[in-house]
Amino acid sequence: MGKWEGFFSKETSSLKSSEIRDLLKLTEGKSVISFAGGLPDPSTFPVEDIKKIADEILETKSASALQYTATAGISELRKQLVSFTGLRGVTGINENNVFVSVGSQEALFMLFNVLVDPGDNIVVEKPTYLTALNVLRTRKPQFHGVPVTERGPDLQILESELKKLHSEGKKVKLMYVIPTAQNPAGTTMYLDDRKYLMELASSYDFLVVEDDAYGFLVFDGDNPPPLKALDKEGRVIYLGTFSKILSPGLRLGWIVADEEIIREVELFKQNVDLHTPSFNQFIAAEAIRRGVIQSNLPKTKSLYKEKRDYMINAMDKFFPSSVKRTKPVGGMFIFTWLPEKFNTVQLLQEAMNRGVAYVPGSSFFYDYSGTNTMRINFSFPNKAEIERGIEILGNLIRSKL
Ligand SMILES: Cc1ncc(COP(=O)(O)O)c(C=O)c1O
């Protein structure tokens, strides 16, 4: 027991650092090729544009840019976000439907706190974004998992689960879903499935938290409109982020939702951090207004497509054929399934000893299943690291077959 453990609140007991995070920490400062993170390639940061914008803001708007501001975000950015989200096909919204957060992670934290009580029935994809799951876990809901197929969540399984719950007199409160370039599966839902999901949400009366973190980063095939664009009832809460398209260090994300939900989040955020940094918001507003993000995107997408292809080629060369993998249509990750007997948590230590790290896939399953899976990032490592790291992983897997 630590010296101060008796002083910590009961809530912190669910925050215990995971075995995996502890292991991955060991990579810090070592020459380990990391496929574990979800970092953008730093060459995609529009440094010169940001420098120019920051200088101009300090020259012309320092009184407001360095000042406290409104909890929901600066008006300039909220206005820009109305049109920017419009590029994803979301229309019929105004500034009052937009709320600026400290990355979409804070938005997830606030929304799950505002919406989820212990015991509530919550639907998540299997697998899904690990840190959303971790926040949800602190709310102690009843999880229901829907497997992700090559075309997104299996809606037939969802429908039968909804029917079953209904027959037991239970109701799903919300579904957390990443319909486009899913993290970690890399899949995108078809338009028909999106419409069908919205019908299910309407018939069974649940909210949809739509995480569109990679919506601007689809580099292959169709990019159908987000669920929010198909939402006629205001039941979709849309989350966007600047992290993958401008800079994660600015820590900026946004929510698009019905005003009643926005107001509740606003009350909550007043207790969290008052507001999102004003200066960063001015930078983002200007970056949209000047088209910096829009003109940078084609370069980022083609770089990630190139890296994805490079990694897939390396996997095809070095991984045994018994390893299955996704071919992501966007985003930053490839998800792999090793033969059933593998436990990728146990394998991680050995992989790191050989100089390569990944995230064991079980972290992305609410029930910690998927023990033979791993998530591998291709956006951050360079080509030489991709080739070398995949070769090391391939040799390790082969040695255990
Ligand atoms: C699906 C998804 N949602 C949300 C986030 C949180 O990102 P941020 O807080 O930087 O916006 C991430 C980050 O990797 C993500 O992959």
Side-chain angles (χ1 to χ4, degrees):
M1 180 160 159
K3 185 175 169 191
W4 305 108
E5 203 167 318
F7 289 81
F8 296 144
S9 72
K10 289 193 188 70
E11 196 137 342
T12 60
S13 61
S14 62
L15 296 179
K16 290 283 172 272
S17 169
S18 78
E19 172 190 3
I20 294 158
R21 211 160 286 163
D22 289 345
L23 264 178
L24 290 173
K25 262 201 197 139
L26 301 176
T27 61
E28 284 167 18
K30 296 222 177 96
S31 63
V32 169
I33 298 169
S34 183
F35 297 143
L39 275 57
D41 187 315
S43 74
T44 64
F45 301 152
V47 181
E48 284 309 311
D49 290 311
I50 293 179
K51 189 163 177 272
K52 244 206 255 135
I53 290 173
D55 277 350
E56 280 178 37
I57 289 169
L58 287 174
E59 266 163 37
T60 60
K61 294 180 183 151
S62 59
S64 34
L66 299 178
Q67 187 56 280
Y68 282 118
T69 191
T71 303
I74 64 166
S75 177
E76 286 88 336
L77 180 56
R78 292 169 81 193
K79 282 195 188 116
Q80 289 297 339
L81 283 170
V82 169
S83 51
F84 192 67
T85 316
L87 298 176
R88 294 282 295 124
V90 178
T91 52
I93 53 166
N94 64 52
E95 191 183 333
N96 298 326
N97 300 112
V98 178
F99 189 96
V100 183
S101 56
V102 177
S104 50
Q105 190 59 46
E106 187 196 36
L108 288 168
F109 174 76
M110 294 191 295
L111 284 165
F112 293 154
N113 274 273
V114 162
L115 297 169
V116 182
D117 281 317
D120 279 348
N121 292 293
I122 303 298
V123 177
V124 291
E125 293 166 287
K126 274 177 84 174
T128 190
Y129 173 52
L130 140 88
T131 322
L133 265 186
N134 285 344
V135 176
L136 272 171
R137 285 192 178 108
T138 67
R139 305 302 301 159
K140 303 191 166 47
Q142 186 67 51
F143 281 109
H144 302 271
V146 182
V148 176
T149 68
E150 310 84 76
R151 49 188 289 169
D154 188 326
L155 296 183
Q156 265 164 1
I157 293 186
L158 172 63
E159 188 167 12
S160 42
E161 186 71 7
L162 290 167
K163 270 193 192 136
K164 183 172 143 267
L165 284 169
H166 185 70
S167 71
E168 293 165 358
K170 294 180 190 157
K171 193 171 176 306
V172 162
K173 193 184 236 182
L174 72 82
M175 176 173 183
Y176 168 66
V177 60
I178 312 164
T180 305
Q182 210 253 15
N183 177 5
T187 50
T188 282
M189 289 176 74
Y190 296 177
L191 179 59
D192 281 353
D193 286 351
R194 290 171 190 243
K195 289 182 181 158
Y196 186 36
L197 176 56
M198 289 316 299
E199 278 168 30
L200 290 175
S202 186
S203 325
Y204 288 91
D205 188 29
F206 58 87
L207 293 175
V208 176
V209 174
E210 174 180 35
D211 190 338
D212 196 36
Y214 302 97
F216 287 98
L217 274 188
V218 172
F219 40 69
D220 250 3
D222 288 346
N223 189 359
L227 300 170
K228 186 68 192 160
L230 309 169
D231 175 25
K232 299 185 185 80
E233 300 168 329
R235 63 175 67 248
V236 177
I237 302 168
Y238 172 96
L239 305 185
T241 176
F242 287 94
S243 292
K244 325 289 174 178
I245 55 175
L246 183 63
S247 144
L250 289 173
R251 305 303 305 127
L252 289 172
W254 72 100
I255 303 172
V256 177
D258 190 277
E259 274 187 58
E260 189 184 337
I261 294 169
I262 296 287
R263 272 198 299 276
E264 215 52 33
V265 174
E266 187 171 2
L267 288 175
F268 192 84
K269 186 170 165 85
Q270 282 166 8
N271 289 355
V272 179
D273 51 14
L274 302 181
H275 68 78
T276 302
S278 324
F279 187 43
N280 296 9
Q281 293 190 58
F282 275 101
I283 292 176
E286 233 0 71
I288 298 176
R289 205 183 61 76
R290 295 183 189 192
V292 171
I293 300 178
Q294 299 87 317
S295 59
N296 206 28
L297 270 172
K299 206 180 70 195
T300 307
K301 287 199 279 190
S302 74
L303 175 67
Y304 289 176
K305 185 178 166 126
E306 205 181 302
K307 284 189 163 188
R308 177 207 62 181
D309 289 342
Y310 202 79
M311 184 170 268
I312 278 181
N313 284 340
M315 284 179 170
D316 291 348
K317 191 157 124 198
F318 296 117
F319 279 9
S321 58
S322 52
V323 175
K324 304 288 168 239
R325 58 153 177 82
T326 55
K327 183 177 182 192
V329 293
M332 305 176 162
F333 309 101
I334 296 179
F335 202 65
T336 64
W337 290 260
L338 274 53
E340 290 283 341
K341 68 171 184 180
F342 278 86
N343 180 318
T344 52
V345 175
Q346 283 163 15
L347 200 68
L348 180 60
Q349 180 70 66
E350 249 181 282
M352 286 183 11
N353 290 345
R354 294 185 183 207
V356 60
Y358 58 84
V359 184
S362 54
S363 317
F364 300 90
F365 292 77
Y366 79 86
D367 54 2
Y368 298 103
S369 56
T371 48
N372 59 326
T373 61
M374 38 171 100
R375 190 194 73 173
I376 301 185
N377 169 263
F378 58 79
S379 58
F380 186 71
N382 63 34
K383 283 185 179 170
E385 288 166 334
I386 290 177
E387 175 95 5
R388 178 87 195 106
I390 294 297
E391 183 178 8
I392 293 172
L393 267 183
N395 288 340
L396 176 61
I397 296 166
R398 279 178 199 283
S399 73
K400 309 267 169 197
L401 279 177

